[in-house]
Amino acid sequence: MEIPYTVNTRPDTGLWNAKVGIWLFLASEVMLFGGLFSAYIFLRLDAEPGMWPHGLLNVPVGTMNTAILIASSVTVVLAWASLKMRRFWAYWWYMLITILCGITFLTVKLVYEWPQKFDHFGAFIKQEALEKYEPYLGNHHLEEKGLAPRREITGHLHNKAALSDPNIKEYDIALDPVNADPTNPANDRPHFLYQPSTDKIAKIEKEDVEYASMFEPRHSAYFASYFTITGLHGLHVLGGVIVFTYFWLPIGSKLYKRNPEHLANRVEVVGLFWHFVDLVWIFVFPLFYLL
Amino acid sequence: MDSSTSLETHHDTHHRAAAHEEHKLGWWRTYIFSTDHKMIGIQYGLCGLIFLFFGFSLMMLMRWQLAFPGQALPVIGNALGHLFGPGSMPDGKMTPEFYNSLGAMHGTIMIFLGIVPVAFAAFGNFVVPLQIGAPDMTFPKINAASFWAFGVGGVIMLTSFFVPGGAAKGGWTSYAPLSVVADTGPTFHPFWNGQTLWLFGFVFLITSSLLGAINFITTIIQLRAKGLTWMRLPFFVWTQFVTAFLLVLAFPPLEAAIIMQIMDRVAATSFFMPTGMIVNGAPLHISGGGSPLLWQHLFWFLGHPEVYVLILPAMGITAEILANNSRKPLWGYKSLVFSVLVLGFLSFIVWAHHMWLTGMGSTVSAFFQTTTLLISIPSVIILSAFFISLWGGSIRFNVPMLFATAFLPMFGIGGLTGIPLAFNSADLYLHDTYYVIAHFHYIVAPGTIFALFAGIYYWFPKATGRMMNEFWGKVHFWPSLICMNVIFLPMFLQGMLGMHRRWYDGGQGWNVAGETVWGQTGFQWNTWISSAAWIMGLAQIPFIINFFWSIRHGKKAKENPWDATTLEWTAPSPPPHGNFLSAPVAYRGPYEYSLPGRDVDFTMQSEPIQPTEHVRRTEPEPEPVHA
Ligand code: HEM
Ligand SMILES: [Cu+2]
């Protein structure tokens, strides 16, 4: 006996097997990312005032990546539709575009966005030393306006050795615009466009620092969740790209000759997965870049 | 998702088709890298049983320390000290760290490498496709991947015993922040340490469960035989169906939590680490801002559904065996099905009853107290239906039936003693005492594990074509039943006397309030409990011998040795690759025992309805016709 309904639908359920399977898998994925997003909410609600940063990510680049992913969701539908109409070469081209979109997305993340963060530095100032660094923090100004205080000074770290060498007693930072000019009302809210560090240098004594590190996962609850969630999302993108590539290369697409409907079904299933990955990003983008 | 695998068609209708297939696929493909659901089920079953025994052995070691704290373990103590390395049992005396490792790994292994693989993966894989008349699982390759992910997870967990510092010590619940700071520092490797390996092992185990669960649900939805409508499914299939849903929906949040704990340990993040942590007198150099409660919520969001993963398949097995051996239809099939669905649903909204001590406030705790009490209703319905099913039956007390009937009161005790825990105020006292240990062990040990034994004795002939020995089965059953109760019954009292569940000295230091019952303190009962545990270990020997001996030498079994009604008994024993010689069709409900007007007291699901038949038990009775 053969396993039935691998390609054809079962009459009473109206489904073929892999379609049931992928929806269940997506349900589990919803719970997986749901767990991570609820952790994000938990941590953010728990954060003390001023401890949840804003405007640290590059919004235009994020917007571009969002557009790329959405475009790829369209092309993968077109690829599937082409298979349904038995136009193999149209499928081939649409699939290629989808794959390239996925690769571009990952490249932007791994070559540009993440390394840029790893190269950025931030130091949380101890409560009792906040007054000392008032020229960089502008908390009096913020208090007048009823805004949350700043606890952190960020920028480009000049003496990287300070991170590991206990004999170096201070950090030399080329300040970010917010800390260079903290009372400027233009800096009250996060900027939409990316702003490079200024050439104004500040010295921060380690004694006064509660915790300092590069913008790595360990830096704060914000970056911990940012890297964990985008990292896991990136792995999903990678998985999708690998499977698409398999169906696009002759080794996977030769199924077309034997049973084009079967290949269409497979592309549909991975396409559903791809839409889900897209959807996750639609949550990631506002949560980390905008809010 | 690969669904292309097809099975070869059988041209020979011979019963020896299985042998023929082995010849074609070769030894490796048949026994090791198999994609056949039956072989995968057997693989899961054997591995799971071995893990169960291993996990039980860890507990037998702990029971020495609890009964005779600080004394050297005779005979094997030194050898174990060498095996598990320095810091485990120097001079045969167990260190506190090793005790903690044993406890954490006992829980982890029993639940995730023992019971779930046997109750869900092994029985589900072997029995479900046969019961629904399917040739295999929908995704055979994914099924094999599930087994191998389980294997990798198991190997990682076992390896963790032998890294410097030993296996994880944070309990099966791995509460942060303890679990994040444990096994770190100069004497530990940053990666090859017990707790980190525990986390990575878990990632594989979760993957395995997910792949399996998705496969099960798809198979049950898509591959039911012709005529096998939802309300004709054997109850066992329903329980597996709901269990699979629990796994699909509850495991991923734990996976999220595991990923975050891995980040905390490996990348020094602070998901679960609050600001201002002091460890060993020094502040930790971390960013802080995390929440230990977050871990508890995510853990118990899995943890509670997980306990139903442990019990539902056991209920399913029991149902099959009770109906078969009372020669009566299962009482209240529909209410059983709906109860199990309600149980599945409710099990997602009770998790915080494990967290009463976290001070969640009266509104939240009122909600969780209510849901926890609600969930006991369907449990009681199921148990009552089982008891009523026995009423007026002509019961055959063979070995499967002995284990299945023993399940009922044992599960009953475990369930009823959960009710005091459901009340916030009572639990403040009972939490983290041996009372809780007794509560859930009554459900899982003499409950679930007995149901698993019942299932093994019951489906053994289907898997091997031979029966297990009845006499040795009884020799296995009676001592196990007695020992189980000698072990766990006193624990309720110990808990009520205030004995904490994780004490290293078994309560000697505190001597459990010094109160005496029958001239003994709670601490002194440890000797009895431990002796019973060791005797129970011995009582498993007849089972082990019986199991392996019967594979070759047991009495030969025909297709349907128990005169049962469900579809798996229409396939040859053992079923060939592809299972059925011709596609089965179901014409009736699953438990048509003792239909009136027949010469045999069972009517199989595959028997067409006779024109003369009036009553079909599991479907509504026809309206009386008035002339
Ligand atoms: C029938 C109704 C049940 C109720 C009202 C109930 C209630 C509870 C409560 C409130 C706790 C927390 C106790 C504490 O930590 O202080 C608990 C613990 C536990 N229950 Fe139940 N339970 C029920 C059934 C079950 C079932 C069917 C299982 C299945 C195996 C089970 C397994 C467990 C386990 C494993 C724990 C301990 C977890 C741990 O702390 O390590 N319970 N139960
Ligand atoms: Cu619970």
Side-chain angles (χ1 to χ4, degrees):
Chain A
M1 274 166 65
E2 274 195 26
I3 297 173
Y5 316 120
T6 46
V7 184
N8 304 324
T9 53
R10 179 179 162 118
D12 58 347
T13 62
L15 298 160
W16 29 273
N17 299 341
K19 196 130 158 193
V20 183
I22 193 69
W23 278 110
L24 290 166
F25 179 68
L26 292 185
S28 84
E29 293 276 280
V30 167
M31 297 305 285
L32 174 66
F33 281 97
L36 288 166
F37 283 127
S38 48
Y40 167 95
I41 295 169
F42 218 94
L43 295 177
R44 186 166 173 165
L45 291 181
D46 257 12
E48 288 168 42
M51 294 300 281
W52 195 267
H54 297 275
L56 293 183
L57 300 179
N58 193 327
V59 179
V61 173
T63 314
M64 181 188 83
N65 252 353
T66 311
I68 290 174
L69 267 197
I70 293 179
S72 72
S73 261
V74 176
T75 53
V76 79
V77 172
L78 292 172
W80 168 76
S82 312
L83 276 183
K84 280 287 195 187
M85 293 183 286
R86 305 287 182 264
R87 285 160 48 189
F88 182 81
W89 287 106
Y91 156 75
W92 193 88
W93 280 109
Y94 281 127
M95 197 46 119
L96 180 61
I97 299 173
T98 313
I99 294 167
L100 291 178
C101 282
I103 292 175
T104 316
F105 177 90
L106 286 177
T107 314
V108 171
K109 270 244 110 54
L110 289 179
V111 179
Y112 179 72
E113 283 197 89
W114 279 21
Q116 205 191 28
K117 290 288 145 290
F118 294 151
D119 202 34
H120 216 95
F121 176 80
F124 290 96
I125 307 297
K126 283 186 181 154
Q127 201 77 42
E128 57 269 23
L130 284 176
E131 208 47 48
K132 184 170 164 190
Y133 295 93
E134 173 63 17
Y136 307 134
L137 295 169
N139 279 334
H140 296 310
H141 161 78
L142 291 173
E143 204 180 329
E144 259 165 46
K145 292 206 158 181
L147 296 169
R150 295 195 183 106
R151 299 276 316 271
E152 189 184 14
I153 298 177
T154 62
H156 185 80
L157 182 64
H158 272 298
N159 56 344
K160 282 238 168 85
L163 284 172
S164 49
D165 187 346
N167 295 320
I168 304 180
K169 297 293 183 210
E170 57 190 24
Y171 299 110
D172 298 342
I173 311 180
L175 292 173
D176 277 341
V178 211
N179 297 119
D181 188 9
T183 50
N184 185 343
N187 286 331
D188 285 356
R189 310 254 171 217
H191 289 277
F192 188 72
L193 292 178
Y194 172 71
Q195 301 210 313
S197 306
T198 62
D199 42 17
K200 183 168 171 191
I201 305 275
K203 283 191 189 307
I204 297 170
E205 285 180 57
K206 279 191 182 171
E207 260 185 19
D208 300 330
V209 169
E210 178 101 47
Y211 185 77
S213 77
M214 306 304 282
F215 281 2
E216 290 159 357
R218 67 165 73 192
H219 181 73
S220 59
Y222 172 81
F223 276 116
S225 31
Y226 167 73
F227 283 110
T228 309
I229 292 182
T230 56
L232 198 66
H233 176 262
L235 281 178
H236 280 74
V237 175
L238 182 67
V241 167
I242 290 173
V243 180
F244 281 149
T245 311
Y246 176 78
F247 291 153
W248 175 75
L249 291 172
I251 175 169
S253 59
K254 68 168 187 270
L255 178 62
Y256 184 78
K257 298 225 177 57
R258 229 179 330 126
N259 190 343
E261 193 61 16
H262 200 171
L263 183 62
N265 284 356
R266 286 180 165 193
V267 170
E268 184 175 348
V269 160
V270 191
L272 281 170
F273 171 75
W274 193 252
H275 293 319
F276 171 79
V277 174
D278 205 359
L279 184 70
V280 170
W281 182 258
I282 300 293
F283 281 94
V284 169
F285 181 62
L287 285 185
F288 288 99
Y289 287 75
L290 303 180
L291 289 176
Chain B
M1 210 152 273
D2 193 332
S3 52
S4 70
T5 313
S6 61
L7 303 168
E8 276 99 319
T9 327
H10 283 275
H11 300 296
D12 54 345
T13 44
H14 231 230
H15 281 208
R16 288 295 100 206
H20 176 68
E21 199 66 39
E22 276 158 35
H23 179 69
K24 248 194 329 201
L25 283 173
W27 191 84
W28 284 97
R29 286 287 307 279
T30 310
Y31 292 107
I32 308 296
F33 297 107
S34 175
T35 55
D36 186 308
H37 73 100
K38 298 181 293 298
M39 188 47 70
I40 292 176
I42 291 168
Q43 288 172 329
Y44 258 123
L46 287 175
C47 293
L49 285 173
I50 292 168
F51 274 118
L52 274 180
F53 195 77
F54 179 68
F56 179 61
S57 308
L58 301 183
M59 181 42 76
M60 288 198 282
L61 287 180
M62 295 172 77
R63 285 309 319 181
W64 173 265
Q65 167 66 21
L66 291 174
F68 308 105
Q71 295 183 31
L73 175 62
V75 191
I76 52 171
N78 275 317
L80 288 172
H82 286 294
L83 178 66
F84 289 108
S88 61
M89 301 189 60
D91 306 324
K93 292 179 194 154
M94 189 177 292
T95 62
E97 290 76 20
F98 191 53
Y99 178 84
N100 283 346
S101 285
L102 291 178
M105 297 311 282
H106 164 74
T108 306
I109 288 175
M110 291 311 244
I111 294 180
F112 297 100
L113 290 162
I115 307 240
V116 177
V118 180
F120 177 69
F123 280 108
N125 255 311
F126 189 88
V127 178
V128 167
L130 288 170
Q131 276 195 334
I132 64 173
D136 204 318
M137 287 284 183
T138 40
F139 311 116
K141 284 182 192 161
I142 289 180
N143 206 13
S146 158
F147 174 72
W148 287 102
F150 161 74
V152 173
V155 168
I156 293 177
M157 290 287 184
L158 289 181
T159 316
S160 75
F161 275 99
F162 302 103
V163 296
K169 302 164 192 65
W172 80 282
T173 54
S174 198
Y175 271 13
L178 183 63
S179 54
V180 177
V181 294
D183 294 1
T184 58
T187 52
F188 292 94
H189 188 276
F191 180 81
W192 297 103
N193 62 68
Q195 181 65 24
T196 305
L197 288 178
W198 187 91
L199 293 167
F200 276 96
F202 239 104
V203 172
F204 283 95
L205 295 181
I206 294 175
T207 309
S208 153
S209 286
L210 280 181
L211 296 178
I214 289 172
N215 223 334
F216 278 37
I217 300 174
T218 316
T219 305
I220 295 172
I221 292 179
Q222 290 288 94
L223 301 189
R224 277 167 295 125
K226 197 164 159 226
L228 196 60
T229 53
W230 287 96
M231 282 299 160
R232 284 179 181 169
L233 287 180
F235 185 61
F236 177 73
V237 177
W238 273 110
T239 59
Q240 292 283 335
F241 189 67
V242 175
T243 306
F245 265 104
L246 296 184
L247 289 172
V248 166
L249 299 177
F251 249 136
L254 180 70
E255 179 150 33
I258 299 259
I259 291 170
M260 287 186 269
Q261 197 174 106
I262 291 179
M263 291 296 284
D264 274 5
R265 292 182 62 85
V266 177
T269 58
S270 301
F271 280 110
F272 304 122
M273 304 295 277
T275 309
M277 282 272 297
I278 310 264
V279 174
N280 293 335
L284 273 191
H285 188 67
I286 52 164
S287 70
S291 162
L293 272 189
L294 174 60
W295 170 267
Q296 294 196 18
H297 279 296
L298 290 172
F299 182 87
W300 288 115
F301 188 83
L302 159 93
H304 189 87
E306 176 70 26
V307 305
Y308 284 89
V309 170
L310 303 179
I311 195 68
L312 293 183
M315 289 173 167
I317 293 170
T318 310
E320 299 301 303
I321 294 169
L322 288 183
N324 175 253
N325 289 302
S326 59
R327 315 305 293 161
K328 275 181 62 197
L330 214 48
W331 191 88
Y333 174 82
K334 266 196 188 153
S335 43
L336 283 172
V337 169
F338 287 113
S339 296
V340 87
L341 292 173
V342 171
L343 263 188
F345 173 75
L346 285 179
S347 72
F348 281 100
I349 50 170
V350 299
W351 78 89
H353 67 213
H354 295 271
M355 301 165 57
W356 296 138
L357 264 70
T358 58
M360 60 187 76
S362 52
T363 318
V364 178
S365 97
F367 172 80
F368 283 106
Q369 292 184 63
T370 313
T371 52
T372 304
L373 288 174
L374 281 181
I375 202 170
S376 49
I377 296 174
S379 316
V380 170
I381 294 180
I382 292 177
L383 197 62
S384 311
F386 285 176
F387 273 115
I388 300 173
S389 299
L390 295 176
W391 192 260
S394 42
I395 302 177
R396 306 185 302 202
F397 277 112
N398 45 34
V399 176
M401 186 61 174
L402 285 176
F403 277 102
T405 23
F407 169 90
L408 302 178
M410 297 295 107
F411 172 72
I413 294 175
L416 290 176
T417 52
I419 299 205
L421 300 176
F423 293 102
N424 184 323
S425 46
D427 187 67
L428 292 185
Y429 179 70
L430 293 170
H431 179 69
D432 261 350
T433 67
Y434 265 84
Y435 182 93
V436 176
I437 302 280
H439 152 65
F440 69 80
H441 278 88
Y442 255 100
I443 297 173
V444 186
T448 300
I449 292 184
F450 272 18
L452 299 182
F453 281 134
I456 292 171
Y457 284 101
Y458 183 66
W459 279 296
F460 190 89
K462 184 52 51 185
T464 62
R466 288 177 191 269
M467 310 291 282
M468 282 176 80
N469 183 291
E470 280 281 310
F471 174 76
W472 291 108
K474 286 177 183 164
V475 174
H476 173 211
F477 171 74
W478 288 106
S480 296
L481 179 68
I482 293 166
C483 288
M484 283 283 188
N485 286 283
V486 176
I487 295 170
F488 294 116
L489 209 52
M491 288 188 188
F492 285 119
L493 272 176
Q494 285 186 324
M496 289 191 265
L497 288 174
M499 188 154 148
H500 190 279
R501 67 188 275 192
R502 298 193 200 274
W503 273 341
Y504 162 63
D505 67 353
Q508 186 189 39
W510 202 47
N511 217 345
V512 192
E515 268 183 60
T516 52
V517 182
W518 300 305
Q520 291 215 315
T521 67
F523 168 69
Q524 282 160 334
W525 300 338
N526 279 344
T527 336
W528 296 97
I529 297 177
S530 296
S531 312
W534 300 322
I535 296 171
M536 196 170 75
L538 294 179
Q540 305 315 304
I541 293 173
F543 169 74
I544 298 170
I545 295 177
N546 190 354
F547 186 90
F548 288 104
W549 187 83
S550 304
I551 293 177
R552 293 190 174 276
H553 309 287
K555 202 173 78 194
K556 277 225 160 72
K558 289 211 269 312
E559 276 169 23
N560 187 5
W562 307 111
D563 292 344
T565 51
T566 42
L567 289 181
E568 78 267 36
W569 303 107
T570 61
S573 300
H577 199 49
N579 293 346
F580 296 93
L581 304 178
S582 60
V585 181
Y587 294 97
R588 50 181 81 231
Y591 304 111
E592 305 252 317
Y593 288 104
S594 307
L595 279 191
R598 302 214 149 218
D599 12 332
V600 286
D601 66 350
F602 65 103
T603 313
M604 299 194 78
Q605 282 194 283
S606 54
E607 262 184 57
I609 307 276
Q610 306 297 318
T612 50
E613 235 177 273
H614 298 304
V615 194
R616 280 174 288 150
R617 290 287 184 81
T618 47
E619 275 156 45
E621 294 203 12
E623 294 278 310
V625 187
H626 298 283

